[in-house]
């Protein structure tokens, strides 16, 4: 039991899980789940109590029972006491102060990452302002590699997302060309298939592989099919760069996705064995997994186990961390206003996710997005885009016109990537940047320099008649 007295009223929180939920900033999903604070005063009381909880408490009180949840077992069994030692004496409030201090450098934050549990970072997140989340995340540096180097300082990568409502190759190819001409695609060229089956997945993967090989683009391809479909594709010799899967923070939620840790391990090993990060002579890395998450996904499956959605989201990052991914993407506003009601909640959630993932050592991107029935608009997305980039975000989406015609939601466009790179002086991944410059798509100031279609694409278009 956790207790405090404020304004002549006593507040009792029956467990650490209950305390975390009550301390979480207001959002519609937690009200829907019945775990949110009943008033602003109760929320402040919970945050007050949470600030005095020792970090060590999170190693002895599981928010989901160890015996019944493999994600909890992964978190507890994988904890690194040596990395934790430097901060083991702190409370959550002390930890916040330390994170904001000059003692918490990029090097020290990297050193403690393996000693942090998701619940610890979720807890400290709940007592931080947006500027705190930005400042600390900016100090975190997570670098991953496949055919390019993602996450370097003063770099911002993009996922080129050329979705098509019928997976038509010409429609997909047109979007890829458009995105490349705006300098997008260094994180991944990633397609959400309209049909999640082996035939459709293989057809798209072969097409993406042909584009990357033909034009020697230092990037990687991914068709965001279910991991079992991708395993079948690899078994049949289909060219798979990155293995994708949506993940969540409880065993029950992952079960609703049709996955478990053993299945992800099987896929990870299969992808590693292909060594496609070394496909080109200068191939450099083997981070070959791509995960997507989002606050509210476990609740939507009735699998949140009584947790608030931000804590549950942070636990998904423990799953991701296990497999050393190239990319982790929080699709922050995708599942609708039932979970994040308006622009304010979406902005806060996106920055929370980035902060928590970066502290845990993950290469965090954000699909800065909303559905058309949410109380949000593109101005809100501009705010999140700018704040996310200031916070050192790893990558964003590049969607034609910011409007995904297959998934029917609003995201960020190719020109949004140009805007944020220009205003903050950010650059693409170095290998991709060199390719853009060598093909006269960008000049050496990383500005668009194409007075006409670059030569490497002219023959391809001419062959299409």
């Amino acid at each position: 039991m956790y207790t405090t007295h404020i304004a002549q009223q006593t507040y009792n929180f029956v467990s650490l899980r209950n305390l975390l939920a009550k301390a979480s900033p207001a959002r519609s999903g937690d009200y829907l789940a019945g775990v949110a604070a009943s008033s602003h005063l109760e929320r402040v009381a919970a945050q007050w109590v949470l600030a005095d909880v020792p970090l060590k408490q999170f190693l002895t009180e599981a928010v989901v029972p160890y015996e019944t949840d493999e994600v909890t077992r992964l978190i507890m069994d994988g904890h690194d006491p040596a990395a934790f030692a430097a901060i083991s004496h702190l409370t959550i409030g002390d930890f916040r102060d330390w994170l904001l201090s000059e003692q918490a450098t990029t090097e020290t934050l990297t050193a403690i990452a393996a000693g942090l549990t998701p619940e610890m970072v979720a807890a400290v997140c709940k007592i931080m302002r947006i500027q705190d989340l930005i400042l600390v995340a900016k100090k975190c540096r997570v670098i991953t590699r496949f055919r390019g180097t993602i996450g370097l300082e003063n770099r911002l990568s993009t996922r080129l997302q050329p979705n098509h409502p019928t997976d038509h190759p010409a429609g997909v190819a047109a979007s890829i060309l458009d995105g490349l001409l705006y300098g997008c695609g260094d994180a991944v060229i990633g397609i959400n298939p309209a049909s999640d089956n082996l035939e459709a997945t293989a057809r798209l993967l072969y097409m993406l592989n042909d584009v990357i090989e033909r034009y020697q683009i230092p990037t990687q391809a991914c068709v965001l099919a279910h991991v079992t479909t991708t395993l079948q594709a690899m078994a049949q010799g289909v060219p798979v760069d990155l293995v994708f899967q949506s993940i969540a923070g409880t065993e029950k939620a992952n079960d609703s996705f049709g996955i478990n840790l053993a299945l992800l391990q099987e896929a990870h090993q299969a992808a590693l064995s292909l060594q496609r990060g070394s496909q080109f002579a200068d191939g450099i890395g083997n981070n070959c997994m791509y995960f997507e998450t989002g606050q509210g996904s476990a609740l939507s499956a009735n699998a949140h186990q009584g947790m608030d959605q931000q804590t549950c989201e942070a636990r998904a990052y423990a799953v991701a961390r296990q497999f050393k991914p190239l990319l982790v993407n929080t699709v922050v506003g995708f599942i609708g206003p039932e979970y994040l009601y308006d622009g304010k909640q979406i902005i806060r959630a996106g920055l929370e996710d980035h902060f928590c993932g970066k502290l845990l050592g993950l290469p965090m991107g954000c699909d800065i997005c909303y559905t058309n029935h949410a109380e949000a608009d593109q101005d809100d997305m501009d705010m999140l885009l700018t704040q996310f980039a200031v916070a050192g975000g790893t990558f964003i989406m590049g969607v034609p016109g910011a409007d995904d015609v297959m998934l029917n939601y609003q995201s960020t466009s190719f020109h949004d990537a140009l805007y944020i790179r220009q205003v903050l002086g950010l650059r693409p991944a170095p290998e991709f940047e060199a390719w853009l410059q060598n093909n006269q798509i960008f000049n050496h100031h990383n500005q668009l320099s194409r007075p006409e279609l670059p030569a490497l694409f002219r023959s391809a278009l001419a062959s299409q008649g």
Side-chain angles (χ1 to χ4, degrees):
M1 179 77 74
Y2 299 85
T3 302
T4 192
H5 306 279
I6 293 180
Q8 298 182 329
Q9 188 168 346
T10 299
Y11 291 93
N12 296 312
F13 307 99
V14 297
S15 65
L16 187 56
R17 178 175 63 193
N18 176 246
L19 178 62
L20 287 166
K22 300 294 187 182
S24 198
R27 59 208 54 190
S28 51
D30 290 339
Y31 288 113
L32 180 66
V35 301
S38 59
S39 66
H40 293 305
L41 194 57
E42 185 182 28
R43 182 171 297 109
V44 169
Q47 292 170 341
W48 187 280
V49 173
L50 184 61
D52 287 334
V53 175
L55 289 176
K56 290 180 180 178
Q57 182 69 17
F58 291 84
L59 301 176
T60 60
E61 185 178 351
V63 297
V64 183
Y66 181 94
E67 298 75 16
T68 60
D69 187 272
E70 69 172 0
V71 177
T72 299
R73 294 193 291 275
L74 176 69
I75 292 167
M76 295 298 190
D77 296 348
H79 181 255
D80 185 340
F84 181 62
I87 55 169
S88 61
H89 60 291
L90 301 177
T91 65
I92 290 296
D94 294 333
F95 186 40
R96 173 190 175 274
D97 293 342
W98 181 83
L99 287 171
L100 294 170
S101 74
E102 294 181 358
Q103 293 176 274
T105 63
T106 298
E107 292 73 24
T108 56
L109 291 174
T110 300
I112 68 167
L116 297 174
T117 70
E119 293 86 354
M120 291 176 191
V121 299
V124 74
C125 179
K126 295 175 191 299
I127 62 169
M128 299 180 87
R129 295 170 56 185
I130 279 180
Q131 66 174 244
D132 300 339
L133 301 177
I134 291 173
L135 177 61
V136 175
K138 178 74 171 177
K139 293 193 283 187
C140 297
R141 183 63 48 200
V142 180
I143 299 170
T144 56
R145 296 179 173 88
F146 195 74
R147 295 196 190 102
T149 307
I150 309 298
L152 294 170
E153 190 171 3
N154 298 320
R155 306 272 179 172
L156 178 69
S157 294
T158 56
R159 168 188 161 189
L160 204 173
Q161 184 170 307
N163 295 345
H164 191 275
T166 63
D167 292 338
H168 194 286
V172 172
S175 292
I176 292 174
L177 174 60
D178 193 19
L180 291 172
L181 293 177
Y182 278 96
C184 291
D186 51 332
V188 64
I189 303 176
I191 303 172
N192 298 89
S195 301
D196 190 345
N197 59 59
L198 180 57
E199 181 182 0
T201 298
R203 184 170 59 250
L204 291 169
L205 283 167
Y206 278 118
M207 187 196 75
L208 291 174
N209 184 66
D210 180 64
V211 169
I212 289 173
E213 285 194 341
R214 180 181 302 183
Y215 302 111
Q216 290 291 290
I217 308 171
T219 189
Q220 35 284 329
C222 186
V223 174
L224 281 66
H226 192 270
V227 63
T228 53
T229 305
T230 307
L231 273 167
Q232 293 177 59
M234 288 190 284
Q236 294 191 13
V238 177
V240 172
D241 291 343
L242 305 183
V243 174
F244 166 80
Q245 184 54 49
S246 294
I247 56 174
T250 69
E251 180 178 342
K252 186 177 179 182
N254 285 326
D255 184 63
S256 76
F257 290 152
I259 63 166
N260 54 42
L261 297 179
L263 180 61
L264 294 177
Q265 179 66 23
E266 179 186 354
H268 185 218
Q269 291 302 313
L272 284 173
S273 72
L274 300 178
Q275 297 185 327
R276 288 182 57 81
S278 303
Q279 180 185 16
F280 299 158
D282 57 351
I284 56 171
N286 62 0
N287 298 113
C288 55
M289 302 295 281
Y290 175 21
F291 295 117
E292 287 193 345
T293 67
Q295 289 193 28
S297 59
L299 173 57
S300 69
N302 194 28
H304 60 294
Q305 306 285 60
M307 281 184 286
D308 67 274
Q309 59 189 37
Q310 189 255 330
T311 300
C312 199
E313 168 75 2
R315 283 170 52 96
Y317 302 153
V319 177
R321 183 167 62 173
Q322 178 71 10
F323 301 102
K324 300 178 175 60
L326 180 74
L327 308 165
V328 178
N329 180 31
T330 170
V331 191
V332 66
F334 182 71
I335 59 175
E338 299 85 357
Y339 307 94
L340 296 170
Y341 178 72
D342 56 15
K344 181 177 181 178
Q345 292 187 9
I346 291 170
I347 290 168
R348 169 85 194 188
L351 296 171
E352 287 174 349
D353 296 348
H354 178 244
F355 165 89
C356 290
K358 278 291 191 66
L359 269 186
L360 292 169
L362 289 173
M364 292 301 298
C366 185
D367 191 341
I368 298 162
C369 64
Y370 64 101
T371 56
N372 287 318
H373 61 310
E375 290 295 321
D377 59 26
Q378 213 62 42
D379 284 344
D380 295 312
M381 299 306 100
D382 285 349
M383 291 300 296
L384 177 52
L385 168 62
T386 305
Q387 292 171 5
F388 178 78
V390 170
T394 301
F395 70 102
I396 60 171
M397 304 300 105
V399 177
D403 186 354
D404 193 299
V405 295
M406 195 278 282
L407 293 174
N408 293 308
Y409 78 117
Q410 310 302 311
S411 185
T412 45
S413 69
F414 304 144
H415 65 266
D416 288 332
L418 280 180
Y419 146 73
I420 200 63
R421 283 172 171 168
Q422 180 178 349
V423 77
L424 294 179
L426 301 172
R427 299 155 62 189
E431 300 83 359
F432 193 79
E433 177 185 55
W435 181 85
L436 291 170
Q437 292 174 354
N438 290 339
N439 288 287
Q440 299 181 323
I441 297 171
F442 277 11
N443 62 27
H444 289 282
H445 300 289
N446 281 307
Q447 298 168 332
L448 287 179
S449 64
R450 48 183 170 86
E452 57 185 17
L453 189 68
L456 82 161
F457 293 127
R458 286 184 213 142
S459 59
L461 289 182
S463 69
Q464 300 298 316

